[in-house]
Amino acid sequence: MKILILHGPNLNLLGTREPEVYGSMTLENINEKMIALGKELSVEIKCLQSNHEGALIDALHDACTWANGVVFNPGGYTHTSIALRDAISAIQIPVIEVHLSNVYAREEFRHTSFVSAVCKGKVTGFGWKSYELGLRGLIDLIGK
Ligand code: DQA
């Protein structure tokens, strides 16, 4: 089994970016954790981050040629991007939406997600562990 962990805009700044909201783990720390969990569960993990909407769309298109599923934190594009939603519904593999923060406990504009309806599931508010929960859920889903 092969899984893409995809991170959207500004997530490259984790560690220093609003640590009171997003925690102190860097993106590299999170990726290391996911790769280690993948090893434990015999799943191959590839991690990718981009600040560009088009690059995220390309990564989703490409993932359907090699991955069994995607754990995706679209960052701010969650609340704005119909193009990302269309990319998720165009590909034939399951996508899980994850967020470090609890988007529903924050500003109202973060309560709207253009991608939720086309994702298989969503994890929000558990800090970096949202990725772990999302990955475990996705593996379970694919296994069924
Ligand atoms: C985020 C939540 C988004 O609202 C925000 O724009 C982000 C990070 C999260 O992981 O909590 O960039 O996706």
Side-chain angles (χ1 to χ4, degrees):
M1 196 187 291
K2 293 178 182 166
I3 304 284
L4 172 66
I5 310 278
L6 186 59
H7 311 276
N10 300 305
L11 295 166
N12 55 310
L13 300 179
L14 285 179
T16 54
R17 177 193 180 197
E18 300 178 81
E20 66 289 354
V21 177
Y22 298 115
S24 55
M25 289 264 279
T26 64
L27 193 66
E28 206 183 331
N29 294 152
I30 295 175
N31 288 340
E32 281 164 6
K33 292 258 184 205
M34 292 307 105
I35 289 163
L37 181 63
K39 280 203 179 112
E40 199 185 305
L41 302 173
S42 304
V43 172
E44 203 179 302
I45 304 288
K46 189 178 156 189
C47 303
L48 207 144
Q49 187 273 336
S50 179
N51 292 320
H52 306 280
E53 194 175 13
L56 295 167
I57 292 168
D58 288 342
L60 289 166
H61 292 179
D62 183 55
C64 79
T65 68
W66 64 268
N68 300 96
V70 183
V71 173
F72 186 22
N73 184 347
Y77 287 138
T78 308
H79 320 297
T80 63
S81 180
I82 291 167
L84 274 175
R85 178 203 174 104
D86 287 348
I88 294 167
S89 43
I91 61 173
Q92 299 299 312
I93 53 172
V95 177
I96 306 293
E97 176 186 354
V98 301
H99 301 282
L100 297 135
S101 62
N102 177 1
V103 288
Y104 298 106
R106 303 182 61 195
E107 302 96 325
E108 199 152 334
F109 64 83
R110 294 184 206 276
H111 301 185
T112 300
S113 167
F114 283 110
V115 302
S116 294
V118 291
C119 287
K120 289 284 177 200
K122 171 167 178 163
V123 185
T124 184
F126 295 91
W128 71 268
K129 287 203 171 172
S130 291
Y131 286 90
E132 173 172 346
L133 294 166
L135 179 59
R136 286 184 186 276
L138 177 61
I139 292 168
D140 190 61
L141 202 86
I142 294 166
K144 277 179 185 154

